[in-house]
């Protein structure tokens, strides 16, 4: 009887905490996202007068919004430990980031672990499934200039054309530096069986923890954003000026990011919202490749991309067996870094969000009373 009462008490606490978290996040969204939109609406004259200043301000507010999402997981004890290469020294250089995709929580994890990477968050572009356009954060991503891609053979060719047009129109004009994509084209649990059948048919490696990546978006990004000479090799700059008028160097790096969850149990967005899972450490592994090492031709790029995901498979298999990633060349012991968020900064950002919400509510209420 005592055990039953104890279990009921724990369940009641979990449910109460979930309800309180949901209410807080609902209000958080209701004040932060409209405030972001209204501030940018107010700043449209600045966009005409000085576009670079406008997108700088937008980027700062975008980073604050992502910090709020990160705080939802952080206060529930969901943290990140980083492995492999340190990507912070190249935070001001242009890079394409390829990530394995297990669940909706992958995006939240990236939002958290990139917070301490300089200006990356405010100058990055995301490639996401089109369904994210209809989430609470969809309007923000649409304004920021992220690209929503539709999956499936029926849409593939048109989507790649749309992607190239989008990159030409927004990537340089908004001074983007990093572009993040999930080359697998869907969640692991949904694509694993299809990927394994494709691999068996074409004598490709059998993968369990990742799926074979799709080439389309990766190829378009590399061809569009890399500086290439007439002979097809990678050059020193694209010839495209940025907002300050300086020539851009184009993509300089490909950053291979591998996300691993304890016991291979992915963290989804519902967990971040309701916080019903015990405190969990998500592990993120980085490998950096200079763009000159990345082939540009489709066939060679396909082989290169497949090899990266074979390596991801090996990394994840080792992690699930041992609880850590394998040693890098020259290492005598595995080295990891605990990623931390500044609680004071998070409190300041949340305070600004709620204060902005109150101010805008008061302004709109006053305007309504004056008009009606």
């Amino acid at each position: 009887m005592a055990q039953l009462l104890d279990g009921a008490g724990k369940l009641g606490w979990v449910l109460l905490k979930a309800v309180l978290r949901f209410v807080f996040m609902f209000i958080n969204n209701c004040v932060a996202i409209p405030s972001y939109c209204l501030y940018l609406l107010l700043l449209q004259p600045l966009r005409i007068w000085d576009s670079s200043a406008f997108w700088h301000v937008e980027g700062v507010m975008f980073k604050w919004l992502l910090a709020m999402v990160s705080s939802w997981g952080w206060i529930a004890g969901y943290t990140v430990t980083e492995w492999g290469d340190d990507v912070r020294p190249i935070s001001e250089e242009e890079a394409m980031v390829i990530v394995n995709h297990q669940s909706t929580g992958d995006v939240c994890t990236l939002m958290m672990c990139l917070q301490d990477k300089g200006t990356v968050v405010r100058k990055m572009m995301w490639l996401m499934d089109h369904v994210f356009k209809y989430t609470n954060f969809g309007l923000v991503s649409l304004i920021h200039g992220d690209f929503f891609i539709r999956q499936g053979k029926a849409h593939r060719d048109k989507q790649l054309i749309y992607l190239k047009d989008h990159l030409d129109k927004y990537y340089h004009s908004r001074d983007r530096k990093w572009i993040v994509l999930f080359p697998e084209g869907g969640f692991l649990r949904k694509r694993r069986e299809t990927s394994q059948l494709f691999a068996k048919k074409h004598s490709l490696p059998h993968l369990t923890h990742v799926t074979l990546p799709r080439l389309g978006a990766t190829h378009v990004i590399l061809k569009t954003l890399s500086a290439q000479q007439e002979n097809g090799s990678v050059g020193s700059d694209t010839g495209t000026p940025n907002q300050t008028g300086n020539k851009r160097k184009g993509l300089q790096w490909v950053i291979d990011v591998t996300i691993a969850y304890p016991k291979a149990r992915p963290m989804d967005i519902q967990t971040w919202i309701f916080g019903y899972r015990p405190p969990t450490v998500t592990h993120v592994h980085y490998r950096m490749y200079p763009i000159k090492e990345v082939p540009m031709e489709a066939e060679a790029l396909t082989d290169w991309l497949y090899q990266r995901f074979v390596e991801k498979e090996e990394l994840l298999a080792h992690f699930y067996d041992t609880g850590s990633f394998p040693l890098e060349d020259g290492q005598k012991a595995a080295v990891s870094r605990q990623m931390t968020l500044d609680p004071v900064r998070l409190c300041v950002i949340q305070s600004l969000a709620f204060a902005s919400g109150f101010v805008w509510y008061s302004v709109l209420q006053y305007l309504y009373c004056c008009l009606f």
Side-chain angles (χ1 to χ4, degrees):
M1 186 64 178
Q3 290 181 344
L4 183 62
L5 290 174
D6 184 55
K10 290 181 179 179
L11 178 60
W13 167 242
V14 170
L15 292 174
L16 176 61
K17 184 172 67 172
V19 170
L20 292 174
R21 284 176 60 87
F22 178 79
V23 170
F24 171 76
M25 291 172 198
F26 178 79
I27 298 173
N28 203 181
N29 277 294
C30 287
V31 297
I33 294 176
S35 295
Y36 166 88
C37 297
L38 289 168
Y39 277 129
L40 293 182
L41 185 63
L42 185 67
L43 290 172
Q44 286 305 303
L46 176 63
R47 183 178 181 179
I48 299 172
W49 180 52
D50 188 347
S51 178
S52 61
F54 175 85
W55 290 113
H56 176 86
V57 173
E58 185 279 333
V60 171
M61 291 194 293
F62 183 79
K63 184 175 182 178
W64 289 352
L65 288 175
L66 267 59
M68 292 179 202
V69 177
S70 303
S71 71
W72 300 347
W74 184 74
I75 60 177
Y78 306 145
T79 58
V80 173
T81 293
E82 298 178 315
W83 304 74
D85 295 333
D86 185 359
V87 299
R88 285 172 295 186
I90 64 165
S91 63
E92 295 300 322
E93 299 182 41
E94 294 187 41
M96 179 179 70
V97 183
I98 56 175
V99 192
N100 62 312
H101 207 12
Q102 300 183 59
S103 72
T104 50
D106 298 339
V107 175
C108 300
T109 298
L110 289 173
M111 288 180 179
M112 176 181 286
C113 65
L114 295 179
Q115 281 291 318
D116 67 343
K117 306 298 185 295
T119 63
V120 162
V121 174
R122 65 181 178 86
K123 290 189 175 184
M124 73 193 311
M125 179 182 287
W126 297 75
L127 264 67
M128 297 178 283
D129 191 279
H130 79 286
V131 298
F132 282 98
K133 186 188 298 185
Y134 308 106
T135 65
N136 62 313
F137 216 73
L139 180 60
V140 173
S141 293
L142 199 63
I143 294 171
H144 183 68
D146 297 328
F147 184 77
F148 299 94
I149 191 165
R150 293 180 67 91
Q151 304 294 341
K153 292 182 180 179
H155 308 286
R156 190 170 301 164
D157 292 338
K158 284 186 177 180
Q159 289 298 300
L160 295 180
I161 295 172
Y162 295 155
L163 173 59
K164 186 182 187 312
D165 291 342
H166 186 87
L167 294 173
D168 288 337
K169 186 175 182 181
Y170 297 116
Y171 187 83
H172 295 303
S173 65
R174 298 186 182 183
D175 196 25
R176 299 297 176 239
K177 295 291 186 182
W178 286 20
I179 183 165
V180 180
L181 71 155
F182 302 92
E184 291 164 290
F187 297 143
L188 173 63
R189 69 179 186 277
K190 293 183 177 181
R191 290 209 62 244
R192 179 159 39 201
E193 184 177 354
T194 304
S195 174
Q196 290 173 346
L197 290 173
F198 180 86
K200 184 177 181 180
K201 182 178 179 180
H202 294 86
S203 301
L204 295 169
H206 180 87
L207 305 176
T208 302
H209 305 301
V210 295
T211 64
L212 289 171
R214 293 169 175 170
L215 178 67
T218 305
H219 195 211
V220 169
I221 291 169
L222 287 173
K223 295 283 284 185
T224 306
L225 301 182
S226 296
Q228 296 184 59
Q229 307 289 352
E230 292 182 359
N231 61 5
S233 63
V234 177
S236 58
D237 62 66
T238 63
T240 304
N242 58 16
Q243 292 175 338
T244 61
N246 298 321
K247 286 188 176 181
R248 301 175 67 110
K249 294 183 178 180
L251 291 178
Q252 299 295 297
W253 302 90
V254 172
I255 303 174
D256 186 5
V257 178
T258 303
I259 300 176
Y261 298 95
K263 300 180 181 179
R265 291 180 57 209
M267 187 89 68
D268 54 31
I269 188 64
Q270 297 95 311
T271 307
W272 275 67
I273 292 173
F274 295 107
Y276 49 76
R277 184 183 291 191
T280 303
V281 179
T282 301
H283 297 259
V284 179
H285 184 278
Y286 304 96
R287 273 184 180 157
M288 302 188 306
Y289 297 91
I291 197 67
K292 292 184 179 181
E293 296 180 6
V294 182
M296 293 292 161
E297 295 303 319
E299 185 175 348
L301 178 60
T302 300
D303 293 338
W304 186 88
L305 199 57
Y306 281 174
Q307 185 57 39
R308 300 291 73 75
F309 276 77
V310 169
E311 290 174 0
K312 286 179 180 290
E313 175 78 11
E314 295 169 352
L315 285 171
L316 290 168
H318 188 279
F319 177 84
Y320 294 141
D321 286 341
T322 66
S324 64
F325 285 109
L327 300 179
E328 300 292 328
D329 293 339
Q331 284 187 337
K332 296 182 179 180
V335 178
S336 62
R337 304 175 295 277
Q338 183 71 34
M339 190 273 162
T340 58
L341 297 175
D342 183 356
V344 175
R345 176 174 174 269
L346 293 179
C347 288
V348 170
I349 291 173
Q350 291 286 11
S351 300
L352 287 173
F354 282 96
S356 295
F358 175 77
V359 169
W360 281 114
Y361 174 80
S362 301
V363 170
L364 293 176
Q365 186 182 45
Y366 174 75
L367 291 176
Y368 179 84
C369 293
C370 290
L371 293 174
F372 303 102

